[in-house]
Amino acid sequence: MSPAAPPAVSTVLFDGHPWERGLDLLAEAGARLVEPAFIRGYVDFDETAFSEAAAARSRRLLEARGLAPGAVSAHMDLAGPGAAEALARRVAFAGALGAPLLVTNAGPATGRAAILATLDDALPRLEAAAVTLALENPGHGRGDLIGRGEAGAALVAALGAPRVRLNLDAGNLVTYAGALEPGLSATLPHAAYMHLKDVAEDGPDWRFAALGEGVVDLPAVAAARARLAPACPVGIELPLRLSRPSRGDPVRATAPLPLPALRDALRRSLAAWAALA
């Protein structure tokens, strides 16, 4: 992707609506790249979502609307039971879809040895599928292996595997690590991808918001990217159905948000980033 490539838009935006309607919304709002999202607690899915048939169907739905895959988010614990097999399914799905990037969390720091073993097993699969794995810094919880940007940068530098890089989630730096810097500057040189999302304060709570309408310093994010990794592709993640009461774990609203409100939030977010990128 070139520096001028448009941002991908995560399908988490239209959680609760049929994919056909959601993809129509993305196309109508001016999106060109899509990031299919499979994130527990954000959307409902099971392991059949990563079948060969599911990848073929998703590809047809995108192509019918003039859309293309920019990345796939399919978070998992790389230290968990059956992690190697689960990651293999996700790599195969991303490859069949034609997505160049696969995003996942790493896992707990206590599982470092198991995480490294899972990554080692995945390397030939990633190469064969022409997919780069981008490890994302988390947005909530504690004790993650790459909870801070500096830790993620050190991990991928030590691995020295071109197919294992980082996904820098700027919003997560704020909500997990407490600040954009120094994680932003440490991570970007090692990032294959970058997530943009924002959170707004509602007293003691957080709610996810359109870009530029929360506490994340979007101009600082854009400036750091321009300085450190101008060619790094970006994805816009708008999990607007979620809130974080008392700034704890994300909680999904009972009902999906109306499609017109989602379309408006996406258009505002695309405009906010375009004004800075």
Side-chain angles (χ1 to χ4, degrees):
M1 292 184 187
S2 71
V9 179
S10 172
T11 60
V12 74
L13 171 69
F14 55 78
D15 173 40
H17 295 283
W19 260 54
E20 293 85 348
R21 294 286 304 280
L23 293 177
D24 287 342
L25 179 154
L26 299 192
E28 291 165 7
R32 290 167 49 199
L33 298 178
V34 178
E35 182 184 321
F38 307 92
I39 307 171
R40 299 199 187 281
Y42 281 40
V43 298
D44 294 324
F45 70 97
D46 59 32
E47 290 298 300
T48 63
F50 307 111
S51 69
E52 184 177 342
R57 178 178 182 272
S58 296
R59 189 164 188 161
R60 289 194 301 271
L61 289 173
L62 293 177
E63 291 174 347
R65 292 159 178 82
L67 300 168
V72 172
S73 282
H75 292 314
M76 56 173 289
D77 177 0
L78 298 180
E85 294 80 7
L87 183 56
R89 286 191 291 272
R90 287 154 172 78
V91 172
F93 176 87
L97 187 63
L101 296 159
L102 173 64
V103 178
T104 180
N105 292 129
T110 55
R112 181 185 178 93
I115 291 169
L116 293 177
T118 300
L119 292 174
D120 186 63
D121 179 84
L123 290 177
R125 304 178 195 275
L126 291 165
E127 195 62 42
V131 170
T132 295
L133 186 65
L135 303 178
E136 180 177 324
N137 54 297
H140 62 278
R142 61 183 62 186
D144 198 273
L145 179 63
I146 59 171
R148 298 188 65 87
E150 308 93 306
L155 177 68
V156 298
L159 284 172
R163 289 289 179 185
V164 179
R165 304 282 300 285
L166 295 175
N167 172 51
L168 169 60
D169 190 305
N172 286 357
L173 286 177
V174 173
T175 61
Y176 185 102
L180 283 176
E181 291 290 1
L184 190 65
S185 294
T187 304
L188 267 170
H190 302 276
Y193 196 49
M194 183 177 184
H195 264 171
L196 306 171
K197 69 169 176 271
D198 210 345
V199 290
E201 295 177 329
D202 283 340
D205 305 327
W206 274 325
R207 60 175 170 80
F208 291 97
L211 295 186
E213 298 178 10
V215 300
V216 176
D217 189 344
L218 196 63
V221 172
R225 174 177 175 263
R227 185 176 74 253
L228 297 167
C232 184
V234 302
I236 294 178
E237 191 177 48
L238 299 171
L240 302 181
R241 190 175 174 180
L242 302 179
S243 62
R244 294 186 54 180
S246 301
R247 307 188 181 188
D249 290 347
V251 175
R252 277 167 100 201
T254 303
L257 276 64
L259 287 170
L262 298 177
R263 186 182 300 109
D264 289 347
L266 175 55
R267 284 175 172 157
R268 297 198 307 275
S269 296
L270 288 169
W273 181 248
L276 296 168

